[in-house]
Amino acid sequence: MRINGKTFGEIWQDMVLPYRIVIVVGTAFLLFALVYLLLTFTAVAGSALQGEAGPLRVEAPLGNYLDPSLASDGQTVALAFSVITPTGISIQVASANTRDCTRFRGAIPVLADKTEALLAPDGTSELAQGIVRYETPSIVHDPADTAAPWKLFAYRYFWMDNIAYAQRYSMIVMRTATTPRGPWGREIWLLASRPDHPPPPYQGLVQGFINPLSPDLANVGGYARPSVVAYRGALFMSLVTLLPDGRLDRVILLASLDRGQSWRYTGTLLTSRQVAGIKGLTRLAGASLLQRGDALYLAAVLGNDTTAALGTWLFRINDAATARLQTDDQGNITSALHLPLQSTQPTTQGGGYAAYTAACPDIGIVTAEHSGLRQTYTLFQTLQQPPN
């Protein structure tokens, strides 16, 4: 094909360099936009529609979505979740309207990986370089706090391929806001395990320590996976306890009567030993708190020797003040609901980490699971409701 008697090649040879650069850059941009739109369409097209169980529609950076948390003020619904991409981990908050919870939009990063120098006790010497990571978010709307009703909690740790360092420099952090879209306030170092975790010069920056709250917690190495609900005028937080070697040991419950400024220990909700007593199960992978009306549940993720997490087991909390689960006549804990794995191609990683808000009955309990079909962690709307 010729234009004014010249081929494309001849026209390209006659073109000055700046024009060539504009054409190459413009073509590359159009190709990038086309690929991005195709990927986005594929993600949305593979999501569940209203009234169907399946992947939850979330408009956020492409990656692995896990550790969901839901909260609502009656009009807006906020979804906090972890996003893992090749560049790192971030905690995002997306929003929906209570009239339609089937699609969450406008995800914004509230906490994200960052490279940081670890300081020696003198406060100036550098011990090492590592990555500060944030995981397992929990978002709550606290109507009693008119100044900052939205609260986001997360597990923070310092990573340099060493579990001991990660535990010693780990803590539960909090940020607050007037709306889920922000602006979010400064990061507050809310809770750590004991006064020397983290050591100087950091320990004075932590508001409180958990181990001294009870002799039962004296040997705990660290705490992770915070889950917080506003319930009966107080804030309740569940945490998993970690042994010094990093293994998960149990789930405990804390309570705050002053909007999260101070916390007291109410008891242990669930232990690995109790899980091992349930037929077919051998491991406790994690847990979160779910609320429907006046009913409060521990949503535990349990597994066996072959699959790390086989779904969600809901145990009703009979008494949050003493961390007592519902039991049968023989004193054994009883599950109120079991949500199996949701993926059409489950993997040995499995999942079941759950979130729920009564403001979104159209999606039900939301779980995170590793999908063998997508080969990523995916958020699923199950349409299942906690018993009322």
Side-chain angles (χ1 to χ4, degrees):
M1 180 179 178
R2 292 176 175 272
I3 300 175
N4 293 330
K6 293 185 179 182
T7 66
F8 283 118
E10 291 170 338
I11 294 173
W12 179 262
Q13 291 297 324
D14 293 342
M15 195 175 296
V16 295
L17 181 61
Y19 285 0
R20 292 186 189 181
I21 293 174
V22 169
I23 291 174
V24 170
V25 172
T27 303
F29 174 78
L30 289 173
L31 289 172
F32 170 80
L34 179 61
V35 171
Y36 176 82
L37 288 173
L38 285 173
L39 288 173
T40 302
F41 174 77
T42 301
V44 172
S47 298
L49 300 176
Q50 188 169 1
E52 295 180 356
L56 181 69
R57 291 183 171 191
V58 182
E59 295 178 2
L62 293 175
N64 291 270
Y65 300 167
L66 61 163
D67 301 324
S69 177
L70 288 164
S72 176
D73 62 0
Q75 295 181 331
T76 300
V77 182
L79 168 69
F81 58 107
S82 299
V83 180
I84 302 177
T85 67
T87 59
I89 305 173
S90 66
I91 289 176
Q92 306 267 337
V93 175
S95 302
N97 192 287
T98 53
R99 292 190 298 272
D100 180 14
C101 298
T102 60
R103 191 165 191 161
F104 286 84
R105 298 178 170 88
I108 58 171
V110 180
L111 295 165
D113 281 1
K114 54 188 175 184
T115 301
E116 195 170 278
L118 193 65
L119 298 180
D122 62 15
T124 56
S125 304
E126 185 177 310
L127 286 178
Q129 284 277 341
I131 300 174
V132 173
R133 286 181 173 165
Y134 301 89
E135 295 180 3
T136 61
S138 178
I139 193 165
V140 62
H141 180 260
D142 180 12
D145 188 346
T146 56
W150 290 93
K151 295 178 170 62
L152 180 73
F153 301 82
Y155 171 50
R156 180 193 200 270
Y157 62 98
F158 185 85
W159 184 247
M160 46 181 288
D161 296 320
N162 187 300
I163 291 178
Y165 266 94
Q167 284 199 2
R168 194 166 192 195
Y169 291 89
S170 69
M171 63 199 70
I172 306 303
V173 300
M174 179 180 73
R175 295 186 71 180
T176 62
T178 55
T179 74
R181 297 186 180 277
W184 288 89
R186 67 180 181 88
E187 178 182 315
I188 298 171
W189 292 10
L190 194 66
L191 295 166
S193 58
R194 55 180 188 253
D196 61 340
H197 284 49
Y202 301 101
Q203 65 179 157
L205 303 176
V206 181
Q207 285 192 1
F209 300 96
I210 303 173
N211 287 27
L213 298 178
S214 171
D216 295 343
L217 308 175
N219 297 321
V220 174
Y223 300 86
R225 196 171 285 281
S227 180
V228 182
V229 295
Y231 181 69
R232 294 184 176 179
L235 293 179
F236 286 89
M237 177 192 293
S238 67
L239 292 164
V240 297
T241 68
L242 304 172
L243 299 174
D245 61 4
R247 287 181 297 137
L248 195 155
D249 180 50
R250 56 193 139 146
V251 184
I252 67 166
L253 190 64
L254 305 180
S256 173
L257 298 176
D258 54 12
R259 323 320 322 157
Q261 297 302 306
S262 63
W263 298 82
R264 68 178 182 87
Y265 172 71
T266 71
T268 293
L269 288 167
L270 186 65
T271 68
S272 296
R273 182 174 296 181
Q274 285 175 301
V275 172
I278 302 175
K279 185 177 180 180
L281 301 172
T282 58
R283 70 172 83 179
L284 170 61
S288 55
L289 297 175
L290 305 186
Q291 180 183 359
R292 184 184 182 193
D294 200 47
L296 187 62
Y297 291 92
L298 180 71
V301 181
L302 312 177
N304 59 22
D305 293 338
T306 58
T307 302
L310 284 165
T312 313
W313 276 259
L314 261 59
F315 299 96
R316 182 156 185 167
I317 300 175
N318 271 357
D319 185 4
T322 58
R324 184 164 51 86
L325 297 182
Q326 190 172 67
T327 59
D328 59 20
D329 294 338
Q330 286 73 45
N332 301 311
I333 56 174
T334 57
S335 173
L337 178 68
H338 172 221
L339 285 172
L341 297 177
Q342 301 294 308
S343 175
T344 55
Q345 293 184 20
T347 70
T348 56
Q349 296 177 61
Y353 301 100
Y356 176 80
T357 173
C360 290
D362 46 348
I363 59 175
I365 297 171
V366 172
T367 63
E369 181 186 332
H370 190 262
S371 168
L373 184 65
R374 298 187 173 201
Q375 289 301 310
T376 60
Y377 277 95
T378 302
L379 302 183
F380 290 88
Q381 58 184 49
T382 68
L383 309 187
Q384 294 289 313
Q385 311 289 327
N388 203 344

